[in-house]
Amino acid sequence: MKKEDLKIVFMGTPEFAVATLRALVENDYNVVAVVTQPDKPVGRHGSVLQASAVKQYALEQGLPVLQPEKMKDPEFVAALKSYGANLQVVVAFRMLPEIVWDMPEYGTFNVHAALLPQYRGAAPINWAVINGETRTGVTTFFLDKDIDTGRVIMQLPFDIADDYNVENVYDGLMNLGADICLRTLERIVASDGHPESIPQDEMTAQEGELHVAPKIFKETCRISWEQPQKRIYDFVRGLSPVPGAWTMFRSPDGKETVLKLFRTEKTDRRCSERPGTVVVDRKEMYVATTDGLLRVCELQLAGKKRMAAQDFLNGMKDAADYSVE
C-alpha cells in the first residue's frame, strides 16, 4: 500500500486534537472529512456560537466538516459513508457507536493520552498527575465495543517532572500524540492496512493495579486536607490551571468563600495545628496537612483574579485567622 491509498476521516474537538490533524495535513495525508462537536453557545446569554478548535483549523484548510448532534443519526451516517474513507483517526472526541467505528475497511484508531490499559477514561492527564505518576504517555489502539479497551498498536512514554502541572503534561502529550499518529499511519501503510496489535488483556496481567480516569466534576476538585502534603500537592497540580482545585476559605465568624489553589510547594516544616489551619509566617502562606505545612504560591478567591499568595496576604492582613476545609 502507498500513503496516497489512505482516505482518512479525522474526528476530534479540542486544541489537543488540532496538533494531530495539523500533522496529517502537513504530511500530505488525504483527509477527506473532519467530524467534530456542534458549535457551542458562549457569552453572557449564550447567543453566540463558537466553533471547536478542530473545526476552525479544518475550515482554514478547506476540509469538509460534519457536526452531528447524535452519532447514530441516519443522515450523518449516510454523509460519513459518502466520503468513502478506509480509515478513521480519533483524538479527544466522544464515544462512537459500532456503526461508525466499524465503517472503514481498515478500522478506526484512537490516540489516547495515557499508557493503556492504565487510565482508561475521559481525564487521563488529570488523574495521572493527581496520582503522582512519574510517567505517562500516548497510545494508539483500534476501537471496539468497550471504551478504551481495543487492541494496542503503539505506545510512546512521557516523563512527568515533579513540578509539572496538567498544562505541562497536556502540551507534551499533544505533540507526542501527533508523533505517534504519524508513526501508526506508517505502520498501517507498511502492513497494507493490517498492523500488528496487542490485546489489552495480555497487557493487563503485567500491570498489576489498574487506575481509571473518570470525568472530572466540580466536587471531584475539592481538596481534602486530611491527607499528607504530597497527596494534596499532586492533587493541586493535577487540576491546574483548569478546572482548578478548590477549598472553602472560612472566616473567624463562619463565613465561607470558595478559594482555588493553582500552585503549591512541599516543605519540610512540621506543625501541631489541625489539618486545614492557615499559617502565615514571614509573608508566606501555608496550610497544615497531616504531616506538615504546604506552602500556597498561587490562588484565586471567588470573584477575584488569580494572584500570588504574597499579594493576597498584602490585601488580607487577617488571613491567619481563617481556615480552609
Side-chain angles (χ1 to χ4, degrees), residues 228-282:
Q229 61 170 313
K230 174 65 165 66
R231 287 287 300 167
I232 300 171
Y233 169 78
D234 290 335
F235 188 79
V236 170
R237 66 192 182 101
L239 295 167
S240 179
V242 176
W246 63 276
T247 187
M248 297 305 299
F249 194 53
R250 175 175 286 183
S251 68
D253 61 4
K255 292 181 180 179
E256 294 182 335
T257 309
V258 171
L259 181 70
K260 283 190 174 184
L261 303 187
F262 295 99
R263 188 166 65 86
T264 62
E265 287 182 358
K266 294 169 290 180
T267 76
D268 57 4
R269 297 186 59 175
R270 299 293 176 256
C271 66
S272 57
E273 287 83 358
R274 68 173 182 82
T277 301
V278 175
V279 176
V280 178
D281 182 32
R282 299 178 184 179

Side-chain angles (χ1 to χ4, degrees), residues 3 13 20 39 69 81 95 107 126 132 149-150 180 234 253 265 277 283 291 297 303 312 317-318 325:
K3 176 179 177 179
T13 295
T20 301
D39 296 355
E69 290 281 353
K81 191 174 295 185
M95 185 175 178
N126 298 93
T149 60
I180 198 172
D234 290 335
D253 61 4
E265 287 182 358
T277 301
K283 296 185 178 181
D291 64 350
C297 303
F312 176 77
K317 303 298 184 182
D318 61 343
E325 60 181 50

Side-chain angles (χ1 to χ4, degrees), residues 96-145:
L96 303 182
E98 185 172 359
I99 194 172
V100 172
W101 58 256
D102 195 42
M103 186 181 296
E105 176 185 2
Y106 303 131
T108 300
F109 77 80
N110 185 82
V111 177
H112 186 73
L115 297 175
L116 293 174
Q118 294 288 358
Y119 294 102
R120 294 168 174 159
I125 301 176
N126 298 93
W127 286 107
V129 181
I130 288 172
N131 289 336
E133 302 286 2
T134 58
R135 192 182 78 148
T136 184
V138 287
T139 301
T140 51
F141 68 98
F142 286 115
L143 294 189
D144 63 14
K145 294 180 180 180

